[in-house]
Amino acid sequence: MIELRILLGFAIFLCLCSCKHTEGEYHSLNDKIEEEGKKYHGTDISSETYIGDIETLEITEGGHTFLIPERKGQLKSYACTECHSKPLSEMQNNANAQRAHWDIKVVHADENAMNCATCHNGNAMDHLKSLTGNAVDFNRSYKLCSQCHTTQFEDWKGGAHGKNIGGWSEPRAAMTCVNCHNPHQPQIESKWPVQFNTQKVKERE
Ligand code: HEC
Ligand code: HEC
Ligand code: HEC
Ligand code: HEC
């Protein structure tokens, strides 16, 4: 009789074990992620507080919709047509022509491949221009970069290159290329790791 009861107890124990939520219950890992993920939907975590005062615009590129910072308000010499009211040739080729933008030099691709006119249209300065001559809004300057830097552009759309503002919570907001790279001189300088100064430590002792 005792043996029977032990056997019964063991059977119930086994049953309880197999009723627990184990990975085997789901058909695949994707099912598991989807099912378990439901618990996290409807949270009130939002990146809006981090975006704060940054003015943004929404873009959709290759199936990804996200926000990027507005740029025109940040450019000190916008609107360009405040000075560029006539063709560049007229502004440059007269006796009392003024020099401007002395602080801007192109240190980017070599000068055979790139000059000011690669990205700026002397006859319509308030817009950037694509390699084929189409107007590109200053707020969407990533469309210039993507013509030549396809790898980084693809990565950026998915969130692998560049940086999100306020993490991955909705609405997703990301820095745009010109937030980190100066288009005229886009290289990021290499940084050396800060060194641990053993001398300073000794002096403090
Ligand atoms: C305060 C006046 C002023 C404003 C604002 C201004 N420009 Fe200019 N820009 C000039 C003058 C003057 C020239 C012609 C003399 C020269 O080339 O230095 C010029 C020349 C240029 C050139 C030709 C440079 C070269 O070496 O061929 C480009 C490109 C240019 N501007 C772009 C812009 C863009 C883009 C903006 C707006 C974001 C802008 N400028 C706003 C005054 C201005
Ligand atoms: C690779 C493309 C590219 C080239 C080449 C280029 N620019 Fe630009 N330029 C841009 C973009 C993009 C912006 C907007 C940057 C931003 O949003 O911060 C800009 C901005 C400017 C501005 C406004 C800057 C400000 O802060 O107000 C001026 C002026 C300008 N460019 C002049 C020039 C001149 C002059 C040359 C040639 C010596 C030149 N650019 C070459 C892409 C280019
Ligand atoms: C017409 C083609 C063209 C356009 C448009 C262009 N680039 Fe470039 N870029 C180049 C070339 C060519 C080089 C130099 C070769 C290299 O280092 O890959 C370069 C170099 C760079 C580098 C440095 C790469 C390194 O290894 O240090 C960065 C960063 C960069 N570009 C960012 C940008 C950004 C941001 C824009 C848009 C504002 C832009 N580029 C627009 C062609 C382009
Ligand atoms: C949040 C800042 C940030 C943004 C936004 C950003 N980049 Fe970069 N990018 C970097 C840094 C930092 C590096 C240097 C990485 C390194 O040295 O390893 C870099 C490197 C690059 C390089 C050099 C090659 C490489 O991968 O190391 C290119 C080209 C480039 N970026 C283009 C772009 C373009 C095009 C965009 C927009 C579509 C963009 N970046 C947006 C920060 C940024």
Side-chain angles (χ1 to χ4, degrees):
M1 215 41 196
I2 298 274
E3 281 104 296
L4 197 64
R5 243 181 274 160
I6 291 173
L7 213 64
L8 201 66
F10 191 61
I12 292 168
F13 173 73
L14 267 183
C15 174
L16 282 178
C17 278
S18 64
C19 290
K20 269 206 320 196
H21 273 260
T22 59
E23 212 166 307
E25 203 177 307
Y26 304 101
H27 292 293
S28 68
L29 189 58
N30 276 343
D31 282 358
K32 182 181 180 186
I33 291 169
E34 199 170 303
E35 200 53 40
E36 298 271 313
K38 281 183 186 155
K39 290 185 214 155
Y40 300 97
H41 282 187
T43 65
D44 48 13
I45 300 171
S46 157
S47 60
E48 255 153 0
T49 45
Y50 300 99
I51 298 168
D53 293 338
I54 306 173
E55 208 184 307
T56 55
L57 58 137
E58 189 179 274
I59 61 161
T60 299
E61 289 292 335
H64 301 275
T65 298
F66 54 101
L67 305 170
I68 58 170
E70 190 274 344
R71 288 303 298 169
K72 284 188 257 193
Q74 307 295 318
L75 298 176
K76 60 180 192 305
S77 47
Y78 197 83
C80 316
T81 43
E82 278 172 24
C83 300
H84 289 273
S85 51
K86 45 191 177 191
L88 201 52
S89 53
E90 278 177 45
M91 290 173 73
Q92 285 172 326
N93 303 324
N94 66 59
N96 39 18
Q98 290 179 315
R99 284 288 292 146
H101 316 310
W102 47 269
D103 52 338
I104 296 178
K105 285 188 185 61
V106 177
V107 187
H108 192 159
D110 81 65
E111 57 192 29
N112 264 328
M114 190 185 277
N115 59 26
C116 313
T118 309
C119 306
H120 298 287
N121 177 353
N123 298 319
M125 216 50 114
D126 279 347
H127 285 88
L128 295 160
K129 76 177 247 295
S130 76
L131 295 173
T132 50
N134 293 325
V136 174
D137 194 279
F138 268 94
N139 279 337
R140 293 166 195 266
S141 53
Y142 66 85
K143 282 183 187 288
L144 287 191
C145 321
S146 63
Q147 300 173 108
C148 303
H149 301 292
T150 41
T151 314
Q152 286 76 18
F153 176 60
E154 290 303 319
D155 288 349
W156 175 73
K157 280 190 291 187
H161 187 100
K163 192 178 188 307
N164 280 354
I165 305 165
W168 287 95
S169 50
E170 297 289 329
R172 189 188 142 204
M175 299 288 206
T176 186
C177 313
V178 290
N179 285 126
C180 302
H181 300 285
N182 177 343
H184 308 127
Q185 200 163 336
Q187 301 79 359
I188 305 260
E189 279 179 41
S190 41
K191 283 186 187 161
W192 296 101
V194 180
Q195 284 190 347
F196 187 64
N197 192 331
T198 47
Q199 189 57 38
K200 278 260 167 65
V201 174
K202 270 192 209 133
E203 280 167 16
R204 272 193 215 116
E205 275 166 359

